[in-house]
Amino acid sequence: MTIVQTKNLTKKFGKFTALDGVNLEVKKGEVLGFIGPNGAGKSTTIRVLLGILKATSGDVTIFGKDAWSDAVEIHKRIAYVPGDVNLWPNLTGGEVIDLFVKLRGSNNKSKREELIKKFDLDPTKKCRAYSKGNRQKVALIAAFSSDADLYILDEPTSGLDPLMESVFQESVIELKNQGKSVLLSSHILSEVEKLCDRVSIIRQGKVIETGSLNELRHLTRTQLLVEAKQTITGLEQLQGVHDLENKKQGLSFQVDTEQMDRVISHISQFGIVKLESAPPTLEDLFMRHYEVQEERGAHTGAGGDN
Ligand code: ADP
Ligand code: MG
């Protein structure tokens, strides 16, 4: 079942095309990672989903309803955390959490208390006294104590320390176990790798890849370090071999994952004594796309946070 869907979503600001035919889908019970560099269009997409911005063209639905005209209806069932949280300066953190949770029509006091403890927040302080990280915690606690069907999190952990990052991850996994749907925009790749069932990568207003991490890994390279009895030759000529380098510890190079088989059988002729391989990460995947971007001439559009 589809919870969020954008079809050919385009958003222009004047002459500038921020979103250029974005297709995105969040299915029921999944965590979709929405990743891309600053200025790629993540927050703009999310603002359209929230009904804050009107799409220039395209279809945008949440729970099968129109994100713009049915926003009121939709908002009863979603929780949202932005990357830069602004709160009422004169209310305490606890008051803000209660306010958000009540607005969403849920009232789970024990969940609220549990999260305040886990995130180590002092809820009695006025919001004006909170650091960015503490404002972030207030918004996260409010969202996670709300009983929503869809959680939209836009780079929600910027400003959190590593300990809190893991509390955040536990909370998202808990949502997933309850069958909730989550759209998580992030530039923290390890976070996405740990939490997401599928990933959509956006660059310059276009979704350039969508798939499970396993599906996207075919695009990545594996780092190998090999030591052999004989000198390994002929690697340069093999397809899919990159960044060949003779190091003290052995021959170091990268292999396109789909060429791995051929490369391994080639090097095995030379009597391998040591073989180290590092698994492809999302970082590699990202780098490849940046490289392609640079080769084609870097885009000079305005960048922006959030
Ligand atoms: P991200 O969240 O991926 O960092 P954004 O969605 O915030 O990216 O921004 C996408 C692009 O749209 C950027 O180039 C940004 O400068 C531009 N943009 C965002 N909001 C506006 C706006 N209100 N007016 C004009 N340009 C905007
Ligand atoms: Mg953003």
Side-chain angles (χ1 to χ4, degrees):
M1 201 175 117
T2 298
I3 300 294
V4 176
Q5 186 149 49
T6 76
K7 282 189 191 153
N8 256 317
L9 164 61
T10 296
K11 177 66 194 176
K12 295 187 178 176
F13 295 110
K15 280 192 180 144
F16 177 69
T17 305
L19 301 178
D20 188 6
V22 168
N23 295 310
L24 203 67
E25 187 187 9
V26 183
K27 296 175 189 161
K28 179 155 173 34
E30 82 171 353
V31 181
L32 180 79
F34 190 31
I35 61 176
N38 274 336
K42 302 180 295 294
S43 297
T44 303
T45 304
I46 285 172
R47 286 189 191 116
V48 172
L49 291 175
L50 294 169
I52 297 169
L53 287 176
K54 192 169 193 238
T56 307
S57 63
D59 287 330
V60 182
T61 57
I62 298 183
F63 311 126
K65 299 191 169 97
D66 184 78
W68 179 256
S69 48
D70 302 325
V72 174
E73 196 70 12
I74 291 169
H75 275 257
K76 291 176 187 158
R77 298 172 59 191
I78 63 182
Y80 165 60
V81 178
D84 200 357
V85 176
N86 288 305
L87 301 170
W88 295 268
N90 207 34
L91 297 185
T92 66
E95 285 168 339
V96 170
I97 293 168
D98 288 344
L99 182 63
F100 274 125
V101 173
K102 270 186 204 138
L103 282 175
R104 287 178 193 128
S106 29
N107 188 17
N108 190 340
K109 281 266 184 264
S110 63
K111 190 78 210 164
R112 174 190 183 277
E113 293 319 307
E114 179 198 321
L115 285 164
I116 285 175
K117 265 205 202 87
K118 270 191 174 171
F119 277 103
D120 192 24
L121 178 82
D122 177 356
T124 63
K125 273 200 197 166
K126 297 258 174 165
C127 288
R128 74 162 68 86
Y130 284 137
S131 64
K132 175 175 160 63
N134 278 325
R135 294 199 301 273
Q136 210 67 40
K137 289 180 188 179
V138 170
L140 284 168
I141 293 168
F144 291 140
S145 12
S146 302
D147 185 22
D149 293 317
L150 170 67
Y151 296 77
I152 297 180
L153 312 173
D154 188 4
E155 306 209 20
T157 57
S158 51
L160 288 193
D161 58 50
L163 197 63
M164 293 307 141
E165 169 73 34
S166 70
V167 175
F168 166 78
Q169 292 180 3
E170 281 167 27
S171 305
V172 172
I173 288 165
E174 206 172 300
L175 290 180
K176 193 157 98 172
N177 292 340
Q178 293 165 5
K180 311 284 193 176
S181 311
V182 180
L183 174 61
L184 171 64
S185 106
S186 181
H187 61 273
I188 303 171
L189 303 173
S190 58
E191 177 177 290
V192 166
E193 283 193 295
K194 276 189 206 128
L195 297 174
C196 297
D197 302 291
R198 291 189 313 129
V199 171
S200 283
I201 301 174
I202 186 169
R203 200 188 78 205
Q204 295 172 19
K206 287 196 174 101
V207 172
I208 49 175
E209 298 286 348
T210 293
S212 69
L213 289 172
N214 275 336
E215 281 162 359
L216 295 185
R217 282 205 173 103
H218 74 280
L219 301 162
T220 64
R221 294 169 185 172
T222 300
Q223 179 72 45
L224 291 183
L225 185 70
V226 186
E227 214 185 292
K229 285 186 196 132
Q230 295 156 264
T231 310
I232 298 176
T233 54
L235 266 184
E236 302 83 351
Q237 284 88 323
L238 282 189
Q239 210 190 323
V241 175
H242 311 269
D243 299 342
L244 204 57
E245 211 183 324
N246 249 314
K247 289 191 176 164
K248 217 166 64 208
Q249 312 92 313
L251 194 58
S252 151
F253 55 96
Q254 292 179 6
V255 182
D256 288 347
T257 305
E258 67 255 48
Q259 302 293 341
M260 187 67 87
D261 206 32
R262 287 182 46 231
V263 171
I264 295 290
S265 37
H266 177 82
I267 58 174
S268 65
Q269 308 170 67
F270 300 92
I272 300 173
V273 289
K274 193 182 85 184
L275 177 66
E276 280 176 30
S277 94
T281 64
L282 218 45
E283 196 95 53
D284 300 327
L285 182 70
F286 237 135
M287 288 311 290
R288 283 269 296 259
H289 285 292
Y290 284 133
E291 280 168 24
V292 171
Q293 181 180 352
E294 273 156 19
E295 281 159 19
R296 285 183 194 154
H299 167 78
T300 48
D305 276 353
N306 289 299

